[in-house]
Amino acid sequence: MKGWRKKQDVHQVTDAKPSLSSDIHRREISYLIKMGIRTLCLILAVVVPVPWPYRLLFIAAAVFLPYIAVIGANERGRDAPPPTFHTPEANQSEIPRHRREIGS
């Protein structure tokens, strides 16, 4: 009796994407950490007396970290698994509504 049924796709809870609020919260935390590191680099470049190569390294980090932080903050759904569902095939014997003729 089991053989006559079609195999159905089974969806698991682990396939679900994280909620939008948790995704936004994760991206906000990541952005704030990167901008905090940028602020620290800027302070180190101005206040701490270090040789010029280190100072240039701190300045470069302070210049390029905002770009990296924004790119990371705009990355949505990175931790979400790819969808596993299959779209059903269209019924080819049915004529779509926009293709029907008047009077048919």
Side-chain angles (χ1 to χ4, degrees):
M1 293 282 277
K2 263 188 168 178
W4 62 275
R5 289 187 178 181
K6 278 181 74 175
K7 185 176 181 180
Q8 296 178 353
D9 291 333
V10 178
H11 300 285
Q12 299 176 356
V13 175
T14 56
D15 291 342
K17 291 183 179 181
S19 67
L20 182 59
S21 60
S22 67
D23 185 42
I24 290 172
H25 179 70
R26 178 190 58 82
R27 291 186 286 143
E28 285 176 346
I29 296 297
S30 171
Y31 179 80
L32 290 174
I33 290 171
K34 290 173 187 170
M35 292 311 287
I37 293 171
R38 176 197 186 225
T39 304
L40 182 66
C41 286
L42 191 59
I43 291 170
L44 288 174
V46 173
V47 175
V48 177
V50 292
W52 274 104
Y54 294 112
R55 191 171 295 211
L56 289 176
L57 181 68
F58 291 141
I59 292 171
V63 168
F64 291 111
L65 268 174
Y67 174 76
I68 295 168
V70 169
I71 294 298
N74 287 334
E75 185 177 323
R76 289 182 42 182
R78 177 178 51 119
D79 297 333
T84 58
F85 60 87
H86 302 287
T87 56
E89 293 184 20
N91 186 358
Q92 298 296 324
S93 62
E94 182 181 337
I95 301 173
R97 283 188 177 250
H98 70 280
R99 302 288 279 169
R100 291 187 182 161
E101 306 257 340
I102 297 176
S104 61

